[in-house]
């Protein structure tokens, strides 16, 4: 109200005194100019404040940006350029050269590696495969130089190598030897690794064993997480030549700080466990390990189980003595006869807490086996005593889902998570009908995925029926979700 009254008084005075009106207009113009100047000064001050950000918030901003955006930010002012060189900005480095970068005469990335590699703590290496010989040779050359910089300058906490197997099959022996030597020298230079992950490198077994031995010798006290997926080639024809590899192979006791071991079923895994169990029987006493999880993956298209010894129930018993808190996550991909593989991989005394079984084949014999023999064998091995999560991928229709589950599920007192992937015309309705009258109190979450419905009417009908069953199951306290893939 006061502001309005003041405006009215000024207006009246201006009407009476034109000279005063001019003075007032001039005053307003002067005030406006001062205001604009003041705002400009404030903007300048704001800009100056941004350029004077302390290191901590500057580091925080850099942490949210991609490497390309970090570089652009470093060009804004000298202060931000200094921030670009802070250790936190370079703590994690991803070596992933694109085809456009490989087509250049010189790779700008390598300049930053040379300058900042001493600050690296977490390194990830990814290879984008190309059949062009020029790209392959350029990537190999930069990769070797990259490893040499790491060898000279860095003490890493974690390293992750992904996807070199296809590359190694398309290079000459000299380049292969150079890469192997560079990796070996790099591992020999590291003494504080806590995580080491290899995905798809496919070394020859003797070379893989040598790299593993160097890695463990240098980082035995610090290494807590080890991944060897596709680490060595499966070469059954060369087993006689490789018969002495186990003599140089480390055992699990050589890794006193290891908590998680993720590996394919390979000669390395089999012999590490078997040699460890033999050592336990010989020594009669051994300090227990903190190893709490083995993630073991088997794919029958990659190996032939007849070429392996197989771990026995006694082996796993000794392994549990060494690692009392051990849990095993077993992942099986297969299209072969079920009984032989399951009996080879799953034996008594294996503390399997997660089982993922992925069956590809469609023969009627396989369907009968999956619904009968699998659960029968799991019960015989007392796998149900430990099982927390069960994931079944049945890439074939199964006429009866209820019968095999009835004796098995009630015996799994620790089972919390159940995932079923099935192909239509199997629909899971019979299993949900059974649960309405026999609710499994222990299950916390059930996911059912139904695949390959091709008919519109079938899809609509099944969608409505499953929705009704899900609603009824939720009323009795079961957390069930059904997804139909049309």
């Amino acid at each position: 109200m006061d502001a309005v009254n003041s405006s009215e008084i000024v207006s009246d005075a201006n009407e009476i005194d034109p000279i005063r009106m001019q003075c007032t207009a001039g005053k307003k113009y002067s005030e406006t100019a001062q205001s604009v100047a003041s705002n400009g000064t404030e903007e300048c001050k704001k800009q100056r404040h941004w350029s004077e950000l302390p290191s901590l918030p500057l580091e925080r901003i850099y942490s949210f940006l991609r490497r390309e955006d970090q570089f652009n930010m470093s060009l804004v002012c000298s202060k931000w350029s200094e921030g670009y060189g802070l250790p936190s900005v370079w703590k994690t480095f991803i070596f992933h050269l694109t085809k456009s970068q490989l087509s250049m005469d010189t790779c700008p990335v390598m300049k930053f590696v040379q300058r900042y590699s001493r600050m690296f703590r977490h390194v990830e290496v990814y290879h984008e495969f190309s059949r062009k010989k020029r790209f392959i040779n350029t990537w190999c050359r930069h990769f070797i130089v990259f490893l040499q910089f790491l060898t000279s300058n860095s003490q890493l906490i974690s390293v992750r190598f992904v996807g070199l197997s296809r590359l190694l099959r398309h290079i000459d022996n000299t380049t292969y030897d150079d890469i192997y030597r560079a990796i070996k020298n790099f591992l020999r230079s590291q003494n504080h690794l806590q995580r080491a992950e290899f995905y798809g490198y496919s070394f020859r077994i003797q070379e893989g064993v040598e790299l593993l031995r160097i890695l463990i010798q240098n980082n035995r006290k610090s290494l807590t997480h080890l991944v060897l997926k596709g680490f060595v080639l499966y070469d059954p024809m060369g087993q006689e030549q490789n018969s002495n590899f186990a003599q140089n192979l480390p055992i699990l006791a050589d890794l006193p700080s290891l908590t998680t071991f993720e590996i394919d079923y390979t000669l390395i895994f089999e012999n590490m466990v078997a040699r460890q169990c033999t050592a336990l029987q010989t020594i009669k006493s051994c300090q227990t390990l903190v190893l709490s999880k083995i993630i073991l993956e088997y794919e029958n298209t990659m190996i032939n189980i007849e070429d392996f010894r197989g771990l026995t129930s006694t082996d796993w018993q000794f392994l549990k003595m060494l690692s009392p808190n051990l849990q095993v996550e077993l992942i099986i991909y297969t299209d072969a006869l079920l009984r032989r593989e399951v009996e080879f991989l799953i034996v008594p005394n294996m503390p399997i807490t997660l089982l993922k079984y992925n069956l590809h084949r469609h023969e009627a014999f396989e369907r009968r086996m999956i619904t009968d023999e699998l659960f029968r064998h799991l019960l015989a091995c007392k796998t149900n005593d430990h099982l927390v999560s069960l994931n079944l991928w049945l890439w074939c229709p199964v006429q009866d889902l209820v019968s095999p589950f009835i004796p098995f599920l009630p015996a799994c007192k620790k089972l919390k998570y159940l995932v079923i992937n099935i192909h239509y015309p199997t629909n899971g309705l019979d299993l949900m009908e059974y649960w309405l009258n026999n609710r499994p109190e222990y299950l916390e979450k059930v996911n059912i995925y139904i695949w390959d419905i091709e008919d519109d009417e079938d899809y609509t009908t099944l969608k409505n029926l499953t929705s009704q069953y899900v609603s009824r199951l939720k009323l009795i306290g079961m957390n069930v979700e059904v997804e139909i893939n049309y």
Side-chain angles (χ1 to χ4, degrees):
M1 182 66 69
D2 292 339
V4 173
N5 290 340
S6 173
S7 176
E8 290 174 350
I9 293 172
V10 171
S11 177
D12 292 342
N14 290 340
E15 290 178 1
I16 297 171
D17 190 349
I19 297 176
R20 184 177 175 184
M21 186 177 72
Q22 293 175 5
C23 292
T24 303
K27 182 178 179 182
K28 286 185 177 181
Y29 176 80
S30 176
E31 290 174 349
T32 302
Q34 291 177 4
S35 176
V36 171
S38 176
N39 288 339
T41 304
E42 289 297 322
E43 288 298 321
C44 291
K45 288 181 178 179
K46 287 180 181 179
Q47 292 179 9
R48 187 168 68 247
H49 291 333
W50 276 106
S51 67
E52 294 175 357
L53 275 175
S55 295
L56 192 59
L58 194 59
E59 289 181 46
R60 186 67 173 165
I61 294 171
Y62 268 117
S63 69
F64 288 108
L65 302 179
R66 297 176 304 168
R67 187 65 67 189
E68 180 182 358
D69 295 327
Q70 288 177 342
F71 176 72
N72 291 333
M73 180 175 166
S74 72
L75 302 178
V76 172
C77 62
S78 59
K79 177 69 175 179
W80 288 11
S81 179
E82 293 175 6
Y84 189 55
L86 292 171
S88 61
V89 175
W90 296 97
K91 187 176 181 180
T92 299
F93 186 84
I94 299 175
F95 183 83
H96 186 192
L97 302 182
T98 63
K99 291 180 181 179
S100 61
Q101 292 171 325
L102 293 173
S103 63
M104 300 177 184
D105 293 334
T106 59
C107 182
V109 172
M110 302 309 296
K111 295 180 180 179
F112 295 108
V113 172
Q114 183 176 12
R115 182 179 301 176
Y116 298 112
S117 57
R118 70 184 186 283
M119 303 178 187
F120 296 173
R121 292 297 175 266
H122 308 278
V123 165
E124 300 178 19
V125 175
Y126 296 91
H127 173 249
E128 184 176 339
F129 181 74
S130 171
R131 291 188 178 275
K132 290 186 177 181
K133 193 70 174 178
R134 180 166 59 94
F135 288 165
I136 292 175
N137 292 337
T138 303
W139 193 92
C140 291
R141 177 165 50 85
H142 289 319
F143 179 52
I144 291 171
V145 173
F146 176 70
L147 289 175
Q148 289 171 347
F149 282 134
L150 295 183
T151 301
S152 302
N153 300 326
S154 302
Q155 278 297 310
L156 303 181
I157 295 174
S158 71
V159 62
R160 179 184 177 97
F161 293 101
V162 180
L164 205 60
S165 58
R166 292 186 67 189
L167 174 80
L168 295 179
R169 292 196 295 268
H170 287 80
I171 59 178
D172 56 66
N173 290 335
T174 300
T175 306
Y176 179 96
D177 292 340
D178 289 342
I179 288 178
Y180 172 71
R181 190 181 305 109
I183 293 175
K184 184 168 65 173
N185 291 336
F186 160 71
L187 291 177
R188 190 175 283 124
S189 72
Q190 302 302 302
N191 300 292
H192 304 289
L193 284 173
Q194 297 175 15
R195 295 178 67 98
E197 304 177 34
F198 293 86
Y199 296 90
Y201 263 50
S202 300
F203 296 109
R204 293 185 283 265
I205 192 165
Q206 295 283 10
E207 296 167 342
V209 170
E210 184 178 13
L211 293 179
L212 184 61
R213 182 175 53 81
I214 293 171
L215 170 68
I216 291 178
Q217 282 181 348
N218 284 26
N219 302 275
R220 65 181 304 274
K221 292 184 178 180
S222 60
L223 197 62
T224 63
H225 194 114
L226 177 61
V227 178
L228 303 176
K229 299 290 294 298
F231 184 62
V232 294
L233 285 170
Y234 170 62
D235 180 20
M237 302 302 294
Q239 284 204 33
E240 289 186 7
Q241 299 176 4
N242 297 326
S243 59
N244 62 342
F245 81 94
Q247 299 175 5
N248 296 320
L249 191 65
I251 59 177
L252 294 174
D254 294 326
L255 290 159
S257 300
L258 189 69
T259 59
T260 302
F261 187 23
E262 186 173 353
I263 188 171
D264 308 308
Y265 199 102
T266 60
L267 287 170
I268 284 182
F269 170 74
E270 187 176 75
N271 281 276
M272 283 183 74
V273 175
R275 288 185 66 237
Q276 178 63 72
C277 295
T278 301
L280 278 174
Q281 296 177 61
T282 304
I283 300 172
K284 301 299 182 182
S285 64
C286 186
Q287 184 177 355
T288 58
L289 300 179
V290 296
L291 180 65
S292 59
K293 183 182 293 186
I294 292 178
I295 303 174
L296 180 61
E297 186 170 310
Y298 166 84
E299 186 171 353
N300 78 319
T301 59
M302 303 299 293
I303 70 168
N304 185 353
I305 58 176
E306 278 77 12
D307 296 324
F308 290 79
R309 162 188 176 271
L311 295 174
T312 66
S313 175
T314 303
D315 291 330
W316 286 103
Q317 183 179 10
F318 278 109
L319 192 56
K320 285 192 335 186
M321 291 171 54
L322 184 68
S323 304
N325 298 318
L326 181 64
Q327 298 179 357
V328 176
E329 296 184 3
L330 179 61
I331 303 163
I332 301 173
Y333 298 94
T334 183
D335 60 1
L337 294 176
L338 174 69
R339 181 187 292 112
R340 180 183 62 187
E341 293 178 345
V342 167
E343 291 179 354
F344 173 83
L345 293 167
I346 302 174
V347 297
N349 288 318
M350 276 185 77
I352 301 175
T353 56
L354 180 149
L355 175 62
K356 179 178 179 180
Y357 192 90
N358 192 320
L359 175 66
H360 294 291
R361 249 173 119 167
H362 290 236
E363 283 84 349
F365 178 69
E366 293 288 353
R367 296 201 294 270
R368 179 171 58 82
M369 291 289 287
I370 188 63
T371 55
D372 296 327
E373 296 296 333
L374 173 61
F375 294 111
R376 189 178 304 159
H377 183 73
L378 293 176
L379 285 173
C381 294
K382 296 186 177 180
T383 306
N384 51 290
D385 289 347
H386 307 280
L387 201 60
V388 175
S389 180
L390 177 62
N391 191 326
L392 296 174
W393 290 68
L394 310 179
W395 296 109
C396 52
V398 179
Q399 298 304 320
D400 181 11
L401 268 182
V402 175
S403 297
F405 272 108
I406 288 177
F408 180 69
L409 284 183
C412 299
K413 300 303 182 183
K414 295 182 179 180
L415 188 66
K416 295 182 179 180
Y417 310 106
L418 176 63
V419 179
I420 305 174
N421 286 266
I422 51 178
H423 276 228
Y424 192 75
T426 308
N427 53 36
L429 296 179
D430 52 349
L431 190 58
M432 288 189 282
E433 178 70 39
Y434 171 75
W435 283 336
L436 284 172
N437 300 311
N438 303 271
R439 178 192 169 191
E441 301 288 342
Y442 39 85
L443 276 177
E444 296 181 2
K445 180 71 173 177
V446 177
N447 289 91
I448 300 176
Y449 299 90
I450 304 171
W451 300 85
D452 290 351
I453 297 182
E454 298 178 356
D455 184 80
D456 290 347
E457 186 175 346
D458 288 347
Y459 171 79
T460 302
T461 301
L462 185 57
K463 186 75 172 177
N464 293 334
L465 285 173
T466 54
S467 296
Q468 294 174 21
Y469 272 101
V470 167
S471 298
R472 293 171 64 189
L473 287 169
K474 287 186 176 180
L475 288 176
I476 65 172
M478 278 196 71
N479 186 4
V480 178
E481 292 184 8
V482 179
E483 182 177 318
I484 304 173
N485 294 275
Y486 181 52

